[in-house]
Amino acid sequence: MLSPAPVQPELKRALPLLAPALATACLMLACLTWLAPDVATAWEWRRSMLPDGQWWRLWSCHLVHFSIHHALTDGAVLLLAGALSERLIGIRALALRLALAAPLISAGLLIAAPDMQVYRGASGLDTMLFVTAGIALWRENRSPKIVLLALAALVLKCVAEARGWSAGVGGLPGGVSLAWQAHALGALCGALPAWPRARAARPAGVKQP
Amino acid sequence: MRHVTFVIALLVAVATTVSGCASWGNPHGARQAGSIVDYLYPDAKEAPRLEPTVTRLRPPVKVGIAFVPGGGWGTGPSEVEKQKLLERVKASFSRHQYIGEIQVIPTQYMRARGGFANLEQVARMFDVEVVALLSYDQVRFNDNNALSVLYWTIIGAYVIQGDRYDVQTMLDASVFDVKSHKLLFRAPGTSQVKGSATLAGFSEKARAAEQEGYNKAVDQLIPQLQTELDAFRERLKNDSNIKVENKAGYSGGGDMGWTGVALAALLAALAWASRKRAGAA
C-alpha cells in the first residue's frame, strides 16, 4: 500500500508543492508560537493525548517547534528532502506517506521514550523523507555510492544522538532533550516500504551514465 | 634616688615586655582547616571498599554547594563570608544548560564528621542530586621584623609596622554524586597574601588578609573547576560507569540541526547533478 506509483514524466517537471507548503507552515507556526505560546501547547505531542482523546496531536506535533531556530533547521530539511521526494515519487505518494508516518512516529514515541512527556518537531518526518529520497535515488541508479554514503551518514548521526554525543549544532532550547527516537522511527518509516521494491526494481549491472 | 631607680627599673621592664611581644596572640601563627576526609570518613580505620556501581546523571542536574564543617569552634571563615564565597561559585556555573538549580547549603546543616549519612540527609532536605564540597586549609605565619624593637616606645606600637603576616590558603572543591557516593571530579584553588601591620592593628589586618586569601583562592578555583567540568563531560562519553539519562517527565524535541540540513543539501545537490548529467547525455 505504501509503494509509490510509477512516476509520470509530467510530474518530474512540476514544481514541488507539498514540501514547501509544510515547511512554510512550520515556520509560520513557530513565529505564531513566539507571539502566542498557547498555540504550540495545543498542538504538541503529549503522553496523555490518547486517553484524553486528543488524536489530532498525533499529526500536529510534527508541525510545532520549541523555537524559531528549531523550526528553521527542521523546515529547511523538510523543504530539501521533501521537495526531492515529491519529485521522485510524486505528490500523491508523498502525501500518503506523510499521513501514515506522522501518527506511526508519534505512537512509536509512546513506547520508545517512556519518560518523555512532551514532544515537538518535524525531524521524524524529515528523516523519513531523507531516507525515502535516498532510496529512490539509489533505485534510479543515480550516484548510488554517494547516496549510500549520505544514508550511512544519517544513520551515524542517529547513533551519535542516541549515545548523547550531539550538542551545540541544533536549535533546541535549554531543558529540552533531543528525541533521537523520533529520528530512528522516521528512518524506519522511510526504509521499510521502499526497500522490497527498491531491491526488485534495481536493474543489475547498469552503470550510472 | 630610690624613687628614680624604681621608675627606671619599671620602664626597662615595660620596654622589655613590649618589645618581646610581637603579637598578643599566638606568636607563631594560626591555622584553620576543614577536611573533607574527616567529614566523609570520620571513623575510617582502613581504606573504604569501592564497589563497582553505575552513577546515573539526569540533566539538568540539581547541585548543592557547601563548605565542609571545620574541626572546632571558630575555625574557618565566618558564615557570612562562606555564603558570599559560595554565591560567587554558584554565579559562575548557573549558565550551563545541563546544570539545573544550584542550592547554597549553609554550614549549620552540615554536621562535623557527619559522613555520607549527613550528606544524604542534606541532599534530601535541599532536593539536590550532586553536592560540591569545599574543603579549606589556611595557615597564617606571624613574624616580626627589626622595626618591632621600637614597640617599647608605646607610640611605636601604633605607628611602626613591625609585624608581618603570610597567609597561605588552599581551597578544594570535590563534586560527589550523592546516591553512588562517587567522586565525579575535583579542582583546587590556592593563594598567598603577605603584608605587615602595627602591633595595635595586627588582628584587623590579619583578619582582612585571611578573607582576601579565601577570595583569591576562589578566583583561582572557579576557572579550574570549569576546566575539570569540561574534562568530565568528555570523560562521560567513554566511561561506562557513568550513564547520562533523561529525567522522568522531560520534554523532547526532534531536531535535525545544521548537520541534517547539510546532509539534505548534499542529497539535493547529488540529485540535481545527476539529473544534469542525464539531461546532457
Side-chain angles (χ1 to χ4, degrees):
Chain A
M1 191 173 100
L2 290 178
S3 303
V7 177
Q8 301 300 321
E10 54 271 20
L11 283 175
K12 285 187 180 179
R13 289 191 288 271
L15 286 175
L17 288 172
L18 185 56
L22 288 173
T24 309
C26 286
L27 211 52
M28 285 178 63
L29 280 167
C31 295
L32 193 60
T33 303
W34 184 62
L35 296 166
D38 289 342
V39 169
T41 311
W43 285 28
E44 67 191 5
W45 180 100
R46 288 202 177 163
R47 180 154 293 277
S48 59
M49 60 188 168
L50 295 182
D52 291 345
Q54 295 172 347
W55 296 83
W56 69 86
R57 293 180 190 267
L58 290 169
W59 286 270
S60 64
C61 66
H62 300 282
L63 293 175
V64 289
H65 296 81
F66 284 104
S67 67
I68 293 178
H69 183 185
H70 184 195
L72 205 59
T73 49
D74 278 1
V77 179
L78 189 60
L79 182 65
L80 290 167
L84 189 56
S85 299
E86 193 171 330
R87 296 199 71 167
L88 289 168
I89 66 173
I91 192 169
R92 277 180 295 182
L94 179 66
L96 186 62
R97 286 197 184 206
L98 286 169
L100 289 173
L104 280 175
I105 294 169
S106 300
L109 285 174
L110 289 169
I111 302 164
D115 288 330
M116 191 166 72
Q117 289 296 322
V118 168
Y119 169 82
R120 294 182 199 176
S123 63
L125 293 181
D126 287 346
T127 316
M128 189 272 288
L129 291 169
F130 188 98
V131 171
T132 301
I135 290 177
L137 279 174
W138 180 74
R139 201 176 74 195
E140 289 184 14
N141 237 349
R142 295 207 225 169
S143 310
K145 287 179 187 170
I146 301 177
V147 168
L148 278 177
L149 273 174
L151 289 172
L154 184 72
V155 169
L156 277 173
K157 181 179 174 304
C158 286
V159 169
E161 286 163 356
R163 292 290 305 265
W165 290 345
S166 66
V169 290
L172 292 177
V176 178
S177 301
L178 181 65
W180 59 269
Q181 298 92 333
H183 301 169
L185 289 165
L188 211 59
C189 288
L192 283 176
W195 194 250
R197 185 156 174 94
R199 284 176 65 86
R202 187 163 185 253
V206 174
K207 289 200 175 140
Q208 183 188 346
Chain B
M1 187 65 181
R2 217 186 301 170
H3 203 66
V4 171
T5 312
F6 173 74
V7 169
I8 292 170
L10 183 63
L11 277 174
V12 168
V14 166
T16 310
T17 308
V18 169
S19 63
C21 286
S23 74
W24 296 112
N26 186 343
H28 304 294
R31 185 173 181 223
Q32 310 170 350
S35 164
I36 193 161
V37 175
D38 287 344
Y39 171 65
L40 288 177
Y41 304 98
D43 299 315
K45 290 184 175 52
E46 55 187 29
R49 273 185 210 157
L50 294 173
E51 291 172 9
T53 52
V54 175
T55 300
R56 294 179 197 279
L57 297 174
R58 295 182 174 87
V61 179
K62 289 184 276 191
V63 179
I65 48 174
F67 265 90
V68 164
W73 182 82
T75 57
S78 68
E79 192 57 35
V80 169
E81 287 160 3
K82 281 180 183 174
Q83 293 293 305
K84 283 184 191 167
L85 291 168
L86 292 175
E87 288 290 340
R88 283 185 59 200
V89 177
K90 174 183 171 176
S92 303
F93 291 93
S94 298
R95 67 179 189 280
H96 295 289
Q97 286 183 7
Y98 44 86
I99 295 178
E101 204 182 341
I102 302 179
Q103 295 269 16
V104 170
I105 301 171
T107 316
Q108 289 92 332
Y109 292 87
M110 310 291 286
R111 196 172 67 242
R113 303 168 67 79
F116 279 105
N118 176 238
L119 190 67
E120 284 165 358
Q121 275 173 347
V122 168
R124 269 197 305 274
M125 215 180 295
F126 285 86
D127 190 25
V128 296
E129 298 156 304
V130 163
V131 178
L133 291 171
L134 264 68
S135 54
Y136 56 92
D137 195 336
Q138 186 177 73
V139 178
R140 171 166 53 88
F141 298 102
N142 301 338
D143 298 294
N144 49 355
N145 57 28
L147 291 174
S148 63
V149 73
L150 294 173
Y151 285 163
W152 71 270
T153 62
I154 311 293
I155 294 174
Y158 292 88
V159 170
I160 304 296
Q161 295 195 339
D163 286 332
R164 290 181 303 182
Y165 52 82
D166 180 356
V167 179
Q168 295 175 11
T169 311
M170 196 194 92
L171 282 179
D172 189 279
S174 308
V175 182
F176 282 86
D177 173 61
V178 176
K179 201 166 180 183
S180 64
H181 297 181
K182 198 166 180 173
L183 173 66
L184 301 177
F185 60 95
R186 57 162 291 274
T190 56
S191 72
Q192 186 176 28
V193 177
K194 288 183 174 182
S196 58
T198 63
L199 177 64
F202 182 82
S203 305
E204 191 183 341
K205 280 199 113 180
R207 219 169 29 247
E210 284 166 5
Q211 184 55 33
E212 191 185 344
Y214 281 116
N215 277 318
K216 284 187 171 176
V218 165
D219 287 341
Q220 200 188 76
L221 174 77
I222 288 171
Q224 293 267 25
L225 199 55
Q226 183 60 63
T227 305
E228 289 300 323
L229 177 60
D230 293 338
F232 174 70
R233 288 182 66 210
E234 283 304 310
R235 228 170 37 240
L236 274 180
K237 295 173 186 174
N238 301 316
D239 190 342
S240 56
N241 291 324
I242 302 178
K243 288 197 186 323
V244 177
E245 297 173 345
N246 284 311
K247 268 188 164 63
Y250 71 94
S251 294
D255 183 25
M256 287 305 280
W258 293 109
T259 318
V261 175
L263 286 174
L266 171 69
L267 205 65
L270 276 172
W272 180 78
S274 68
R275 172 180 288 278
K276 239 189 145 186
R277 266 200 304 270

